[in-house]
């Protein structure tokens, strides 16, 4: 992961917001959230770690009437320990609450509930059993991710979805250990794995997986495989040139000016060509006097020179 640089410009489209949110995960977020809505599931949304707001903006688009959306991030605040402070300084030095709010309000009329604090406080701010979707993308250190997964378990509704970011990136081994430990020892059931995120539930994953597999098999831009490990069915999806799903532009969007069509070539009429000068009297006379053999030789010599 490289450091995306914040800008002071207002985003016109979701793609303009800095951050790491691949088209495959944008599609999966959209599918899970829309499925919950179709199933009549109602509950709040929670995101731990927002960076510049890219995934939060998408989550906020799926908020239903009466639901609450909460985000939690350190922003410019102090980390709870030295290791977490070093991580924040290295990867998120450009993150400010002002930048997040500017980006979010470019797409939405109101902000979510913002908790500017370590993710460890979220259990005190969000009631147990109230959320249908939780995205965990805060610290990558094992101790913090372990606590975030425990908080997600308590905050989620029985059939809710938790998404763990960076669960298999080479630079985040703490997330990998905490994620698979949750699967093996803490009752988390994987629903699917993308290149970047693990989607899971503490409910029954079977109905979700069957519907998800039906959808993925109909797409030509997804590579799909299914494996078994430690008693879990692991659905793996990867992008094959996938484009992001449609998303409404921001209030600052400016449509690109269409390029002017190339000018049609102008056909030159015979009348527009300049007239050849008439041969002089001397040339006419020489042509009449020269024998045909000489005339042909002169023509050949001229052709060779040209």
């Amino acid at each position: 992961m490289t450091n995306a640089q914040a800008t002071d410009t207002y985003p016109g489209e979701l793609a303009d917001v800095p951050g790491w949110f691949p088209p495959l995960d944008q599609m999966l977020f959209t599918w899970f959230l829309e499925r919950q809505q179709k199933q009549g599931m109602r509950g709040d949304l929670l995101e731990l770690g927002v960076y510049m707001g890219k995934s939060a903006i998408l989550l906020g688009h799926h908020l239903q009437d009466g639901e609450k959306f909460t985000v939690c991030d350190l922003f410019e605040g102090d980390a709870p320990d030295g290791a977490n402070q070093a991580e924040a300084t290295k990867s998120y030095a450009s993150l400010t609450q002002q930048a997040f709010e500017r980006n979010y309000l470019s797409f939405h009329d109101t902000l979510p509930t913002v908790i500017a604090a370590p993710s460890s406080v979220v259990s005190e701010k969000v009631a147990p059993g109230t959320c249908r979707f939780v995205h965990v993308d805060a610290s990558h250190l094992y101790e913090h991710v372990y606590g975030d997964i425990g908080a997600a378990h308590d905050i989620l509704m029985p059939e809710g979805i938790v998404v763990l970011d960076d669960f298999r990136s080479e630079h985040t081994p703490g997330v990998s250990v905490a994620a698979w430990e949750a699967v093996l020892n803490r009752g988390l059931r994987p629903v699917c794995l993308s290149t970047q995120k693990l989607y899971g539930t503490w409910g029954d994953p079977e109905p979700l997986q069957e519907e998800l597999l039906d959808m993925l098999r109909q797409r030509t831009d997804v590579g799909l495989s299914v494996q078994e490990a430690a008693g879990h069915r692991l659905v793996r999806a990867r992008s094959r040139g996938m484009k992001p799903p449609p998303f409404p532009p921001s209030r600052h969007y400016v449509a690109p000016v269409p390029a002017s069509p190339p000018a049609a070539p102008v056909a030159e009429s015979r009348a527009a060509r300049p007239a050849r000068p008439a041969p002089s009297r001397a040339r006419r006379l020489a042509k009449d006097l020269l024998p045909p053999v000489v005339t042909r030789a002169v023509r050949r010599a001229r052709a060779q020179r040209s």
Side-chain angles (χ1 to χ4, degrees):
M1 178 175 63
T2 57
N3 291 341
Q5 295 300 313
T7 66
D8 294 329
T9 59
Y10 290 92
E13 301 177 278
L14 189 62
D16 297 331
V17 180
W20 307 272
F21 194 29
L24 174 60
D25 290 301
Q26 293 182 38
M27 182 274 289
L28 289 171
F29 270 49
T30 301
W31 185 85
F32 280 108
L33 291 161
E34 288 183 347
R35 180 189 181 276
Q36 288 179 336
Q37 187 172 2
K38 291 174 185 175
Q39 295 285 327
M41 179 182 265
R42 303 188 62 82
D44 297 334
L45 309 178
L46 172 64
E47 181 167 79
L48 306 182
V50 300
Y51 193 54
M52 295 293 172
K54 198 165 193 172
S55 53
I57 290 166
L58 188 147
L59 283 168
H61 182 66
H62 295 275
L63 197 64
Q64 302 177 94
D65 290 342
E67 293 180 335
K68 183 178 179 180
F69 182 25
T70 302
V71 301
C72 178
D73 204 295
L74 277 175
F75 297 110
E76 303 97 317
D78 293 330
D81 55 64
N84 194 196
Q85 185 63 55
E87 178 187 28
T89 302
K90 178 181 178 181
S91 299
Y92 310 111
S94 58
L95 173 60
T96 65
Q97 186 171 344
Q98 181 183 15
F100 164 75
E101 293 181 357
R102 179 191 65 233
N103 291 334
Y104 192 90
L105 290 175
S106 295
F107 294 85
H108 300 285
D109 294 331
T110 58
L111 287 169
T113 299
V114 178
I115 303 173
S119 57
S120 56
V121 309
V122 74
S123 296
E124 305 168 10
K125 306 290 185 179
V126 181
T130 57
C131 287
R132 59 184 172 97
F133 195 99
V134 174
H135 182 209
V136 177
D137 188 14
S139 171
H140 296 129
L141 302 175
Y142 167 78
E143 294 80 4
H144 297 281
V145 182
Y146 181 94
D148 291 344
I149 292 174
H153 170 268
D154 295 340
I155 289 169
L156 274 173
M157 302 166 66
E159 300 298 326
I161 295 292
V162 62
V163 185
L164 305 179
D165 184 66
D166 274 335
F167 80 103
R168 65 179 187 182
S169 298
E170 63 178 0
H171 66 286
T172 58
V175 183
S176 300
V177 174
W180 291 117
E181 182 182 47
V183 171
L184 295 174
N185 300 326
R186 305 175 75 185
L188 181 62
R189 308 289 299 279
V191 177
C192 73
L193 314 175
S194 72
T195 307
Q196 190 165 317
K197 301 179 187 290
L198 184 153
Y199 297 73
T201 181
W202 277 278
D204 182 5
E206 298 273 343
L208 272 170
Q209 286 185 324
E210 292 302 325
E211 290 184 40
L212 181 63
L213 285 167
D214 287 343
M215 182 275 290
L216 293 175
R217 285 170 178 149
Q218 296 176 41
R219 300 186 65 112
T220 59
D221 56 359
V222 176
L224 182 63
S225 67
V226 180
Q227 300 180 15
E228 296 284 336
H232 297 278
R233 180 167 63 165
L234 305 178
V235 176
R236 298 176 58 242
R238 64 188 183 280
S239 172
R240 287 181 172 173
M242 180 182 292
K243 303 296 182 183
F247 194 81
S250 86
R251 65 183 81 254
H252 306 292
Y253 176 75
V254 178
V257 178
S260 301
V266 179
E268 183 182 7
S269 65
R270 187 174 295 275
R273 296 175 185 171
R276 292 183 178 180
S280 64
R281 183 174 181 276
R283 290 180 63 190
R284 291 198 303 271
L285 182 60
K287 181 179 180 182
D288 293 339
L289 295 177
L290 288 172
V293 174
V294 176
T295 302
R296 288 196 294 271
V298 171
R299 288 175 179 171
R300 284 196 298 272
R302 287 176 179 172
Q304 291 174 354
R305 288 197 300 269
S306 61

